[in-house]
Amino acid sequence: MERLYLTGASGLKLAADVAGDPDDQPVVLLHGGGQTRHSWGELTRTLAGNGYRAINVDMRGHGESEWCPEGDYTIDRFVDDVHGILADLSQPPVLVGASLGGISSLLAAGESPELDVRGLVLVDIVPQAEKAGIQRIRDFMLAHLDGFDSIEEVVAAVSAYNPHRQPSSGSGEGLRKNLRVGEDNRLYWHWDPAFMAGDRTPGSTKNVERLRTAASQVYAPTLLVRGKMSDVVSEEGVKDFLELMPNGRAMDVGGAGHMVSGDQNDAFNDAILEFLAELVPTATPA
């Protein structure tokens, strides 16, 4: 796996792990808000081992990517970053985006007819997302801006937010990759606190209509992967998605909540590989 720095909007440096043959079908992975590229680590290796070029990106202000000096974490800047990431690719990619990454991918693909994408995977996000579920995520992130004394505190906080998740998936070692050590030696989530300033959630009427319009203009094959236990994507949200997307389909992952890939990693990875195999039948497993 190779570490690269890609160029986002206004020259912002975005850290990425890249694996697989450069000539293989590129698959760009964009995590959710408050996560880092490490949430896609297993999928990155799986893709590379199955004949794809995986490009796993830390979004602006997250992980090892640069923090925006102006604190601009509006959705438009994340969309601009997607354009920057895709600019140097030699062939149309498949975009896989969770939550914020899915919103950014959907808007980039739907609002820019010139942007050629081979396929789109939205992970537990739809234009008409559930406000209560989104607010619960925001509450969780805002509750810990002052950091943690120990990794045990982090594990307890994550377990309280995701009580159905298997203990191993919320282990301290796995969580350390999503943390940074502050000058006061406390543990902080590995993202810029300015990311939480203001309200950029997709719950407002204006944003919902923007996302719905974009969805209706995406003609690439699109897969929605929903956590069966998700409080962010409801059955009504899935129905709306399917009515909007010309080439959309949806599947549920049992036993998973909003953090689908972390809750049921193997089932999630299998679903992605099956979808990609239909788009890129020439991909050959290693």
Side-chain angles (χ1 to χ4, degrees):
M1 198 174 297
E2 181 183 5
R3 172 75 54 78
L4 297 177
Y5 279 92
L6 308 177
T7 303
S10 302
L12 203 71
K13 291 183 179 179
L14 305 176
D17 287 333
V18 181
D21 192 305
D23 293 328
D24 287 340
Q25 170 64 48
V27 181
V28 177
L29 307 175
L30 299 169
H31 61 73
Q35 296 181 315
T36 71
R37 72 184 190 281
H38 295 296
S39 62
W40 299 118
E42 184 62 33
L43 179 58
T44 301
R45 290 184 286 271
T46 297
L47 290 171
N50 282 271
Y52 301 98
R53 174 72 163 174
I55 303 166
N56 184 12
V57 185
D58 271 335
M59 299 185 77
R60 65 169 45 216
H62 291 69
E64 296 177 81
S65 288
E66 287 186 330
W67 290 10
C68 179
E70 298 79 27
D72 189 350
Y73 297 106
T74 56
I75 191 61
D76 285 328
R77 296 295 79 74
F78 284 105
V79 173
D80 289 343
D81 288 342
V82 175
H83 283 276
I85 293 165
L86 271 54
D88 294 329
L89 298 182
S90 60
Q91 56 178 307
V94 176
L95 299 177
V96 180
S99 201
L100 174 64
I103 291 170
S104 305
S105 299
L106 176 61
L107 291 175
E111 294 182 340
S112 303
E114 75 281 0
L115 189 68
D116 191 7
V117 298
R118 176 161 276 185
L120 177 64
V121 179
L122 302 178
V123 183
D124 212 64
I125 194 65
V126 290
Q128 197 138 333
E130 296 299 304
K131 293 181 181 179
I134 294 171
Q135 188 59 50
R136 195 168 77 92
I137 296 171
R138 288 182 58 81
D139 290 345
F140 171 74
M141 295 172 70
L142 288 168
H144 305 288
L145 291 180
D146 59 347
F148 303 88
D149 283 329
S150 66
I151 191 66
E152 289 75 20
E153 281 191 13
V154 180
V155 172
V158 172
S159 297
Y161 175 75
N162 261 339
H164 63 275
R165 177 174 286 195
Q166 297 177 0
S168 60
S169 62
S171 67
E173 288 309 307
L175 287 170
R176 284 187 189 278
K177 295 180 178 180
N178 291 321
L179 298 164
R180 57 184 174 85
V181 180
E183 294 180 358
D184 55 2
N185 287 321
R186 286 174 62 78
L187 298 172
Y188 295 86
W189 294 123
H190 211 329
W191 40 267
D192 184 353
F195 171 66
M196 292 304 296
D199 183 1
R200 297 171 311 285
T201 67
S204 70
T205 301
K206 177 181 177 181
N207 285 334
V208 168
E209 289 311 308
R210 180 181 178 185
L211 287 165
R212 295 185 83 250
T213 299
S216 68
Q217 298 172 165
V218 175
Y219 295 98
T222 302
L223 173 66
L224 166 64
V225 183
R226 170 181 177 259
K228 184 67 173 178
M229 301 169 67
S230 173
D231 60 355
V232 172
V233 178
S234 65
E235 295 288 351
E236 291 75 16
V238 174
K239 181 181 178 181
D240 181 64
F241 159 84
L242 292 173
E243 291 174 349
L244 287 169
M245 300 292 284
N247 292 302
R249 73 176 85 164
M251 65 161 291
D252 288 342
V253 176
H258 182 57
M259 308 299 185
V260 184
S261 61
D263 290 346
Q264 295 290 336
N265 197 271
D266 291 342
F268 174 77
N269 291 352
D270 289 346
I272 301 301
L273 288 177
E274 183 177 342
F275 178 67
L276 290 174
E278 296 178 16
L279 301 180
V280 195
T282 56
T284 55

